[in-house]
């Protein structure tokens, strides 16, 4: 088992290993004297893991209650959030209690935002059960819900008090869902770690799972510690996301997040090469890594329409938009361009 400490404004530990779900109560009790733990999860995760986590929390002396909502990105909305608030109120959670987010990125983002805003903020624990959530969304304190105008447009920074990454949960993850995490892992390799990228490009993700998960989290740790509120270096973590979010929104979330990010990385690296500020070698490396996992690197969609969503992206600042580019594999950087120039620039990557 590996342990990483995130030294943000509210430091916390991340544990990465196997068998952690059955020990969740023990780990939580070490950092909290809460009387009650409210578990928020989705219907698929609940069928696999809710009983085990509830049992562990009860064994550690906590009262438990659980709210289950339908799985999928469509649930990461204000309607579901209001249902969670109602659930927390009916179960009389106080500021000395806590929320347990048990599930993937949708669960973590939604439960985290509820924790950030209910009673002006209560503690929450992340127990991510997908590869994507373990290496990315459960770490760093970003919480949010979507709106009809875009992904994660309403949210807050609210750090968890503990993260438990149980690698055993990935054994029940369908291959298509596992690929979502691969997309984000490739991102980490591209922006910060050439060795990690080579492991992924050779198709070795599952064979080196503990190393990959730990490395990705440690990269995010370093970035988040330097830029907790996403004002500078942390923007690197958005490599592939501006285009990826636009594609995701355009397709009504029928193509999942990690795959859309993969497409976004391919589009932006090709666009940079076409514009003379990148190389085709970098684009082909991204494409090769995605193909190693049978992930898409291009789509037959109307990019001209899809990319309109980029103008409402969170990375836009008035008339400018921040775009993440790659100098060489393992070294990303933030480039700023006029918002009006971004769409023509990105379209060079799909021609």
């Amino acid at each position: 088992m590996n342990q990483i400490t995130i030294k943000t404004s509210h430091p916390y530990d991340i544990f990465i290993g196997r068998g952690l779900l059955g020990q969740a109560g023990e780990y939580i009790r070490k950092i909290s004297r809460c009387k009650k733990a409210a578990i928020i999860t989705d219907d698929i995760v609940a069928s696999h893991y809710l009983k085990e986590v509830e049992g562990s929390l009860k064994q550690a002396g906590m009262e438990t209650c659980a709210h289950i909502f339908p799985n999928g990105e469509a649930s990461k909305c204000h309607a579901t959030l209001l249902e969670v608030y109602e659930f927390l109120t009916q179960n009389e959670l106080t500021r000395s209690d806590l929320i347990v987010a048990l599930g993937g990125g949708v669960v973590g983002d939604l439960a985290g935002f509820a924790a950030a805003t209910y009673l002006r903020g209560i503690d929450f624990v992340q127990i991510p059960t997908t590869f994507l959530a373990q290496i990315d969304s459960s770490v760093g304190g970003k919480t949010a819900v979507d709106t009809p105008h875009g992904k994660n447009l309403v949210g807050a920074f609210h750090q968890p008090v503990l993260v438990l990454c149980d690698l055993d949960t990935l054994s029940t993850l369908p291959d298509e869902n596992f690929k979502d995490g691969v997309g984000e892992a490739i991102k980490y390799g591209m922006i910060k770690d050439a060795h990690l990228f080579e492991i992924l490009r050779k198709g070795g993700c599952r064979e080196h799972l503990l190393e990959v998960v730990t490395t990705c989290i440690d990269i995010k740790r370093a970035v988040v510690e330097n830029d907790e509120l996403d004002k500078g270096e942390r923007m690197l973590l958005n490599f592939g996301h501006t285009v990826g979010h636009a594609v995701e929104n355009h397709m009504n979330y029928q193509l999942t997040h990690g795959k859309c990010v993969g497409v976004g990385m391919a589009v932006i690296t090709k666009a940079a090469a076409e514009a003379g500020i990148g190389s085709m070698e970098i684009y082909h490396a991204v494409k090769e890594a995605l193909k190693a996992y049978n992930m898409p690197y291009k789509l037959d969609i109307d990019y001209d329409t899809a990319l309109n969503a980029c103008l409402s992206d969170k990375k836009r600042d008035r008339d400018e938009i921040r775009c993440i580019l790659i100098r060489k594999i393992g070294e990303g950087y933030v480039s700023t361009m006029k918002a009006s120039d971004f769409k023509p620039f990105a379209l060079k990557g799909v021609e």
Side-chain angles (χ1 to χ4, degrees), residues 64-80:
T64 66
C65 53
H67 180 75
I68 303 169
F69 61 81
N71 71 90
E73 188 74 26
S75 287
K76 203 172 92 174
C77 62
H78 282 89
T80 309

Side-chain angles (χ1 to χ4, degrees), residues 30 37 54 86 109 122 199:
K30 288 179 181 178
E54 277 187 321
E86 181 68 18
D109 281 1
I122 64 174
I199 291 175

Side-chain angles (χ1 to χ4, degrees), residues 15 37 46 67 78 82 89 105 114 122 167 184 189 231 241 247 290 317:
F15 295 92
H67 180 75
H78 282 89
L82 291 175
T89 303
I122 64 174
L167 301 182
E184 291 286 356
K231 300 293 186 180
H241 282 59
V247 169
L290 293 170
D317 184 6

Side-chain angles (χ1 to χ4, degrees), residues 191-264:
I191 64 171
K192 283 289 185 179
D193 195 314
H195 173 68
L196 171 63
F197 180 79
E198 285 305 312
I199 291 175
L200 297 167
R201 178 155 65 169
K202 294 175 181 177
C205 189
R206 286 191 183 273
E207 292 78 5
H208 300 272
L209 195 56
L210 179 60
E211 178 184 358
V212 170
V213 172
T214 302
T215 300
C216 289
I217 291 175
D218 199 46
I219 291 171
K220 188 160 190 180
R221 172 202 60 75
V223 172
V224 168
E225 286 179 353
N226 288 334
D227 181 22
E228 182 174 354
L229 299 181
D230 203 9
K231 300 293 186 180
E233 183 185 5
R234 187 167 178 173
M235 294 178 190
L236 289 175
L237 300 174
N238 290 316
F239 175 52
H241 282 59
T242 299
V243 173
H245 282 169
V247 169
E248 204 172 354
N249 181 266
H250 180 72
M251 299 186 69
N252 294 314
Y253 304 102
Q254 295 304 302
L255 187 66
T256 51
H257 177 71
K259 299 185 187 70
C260 291
V261 168
V263 171

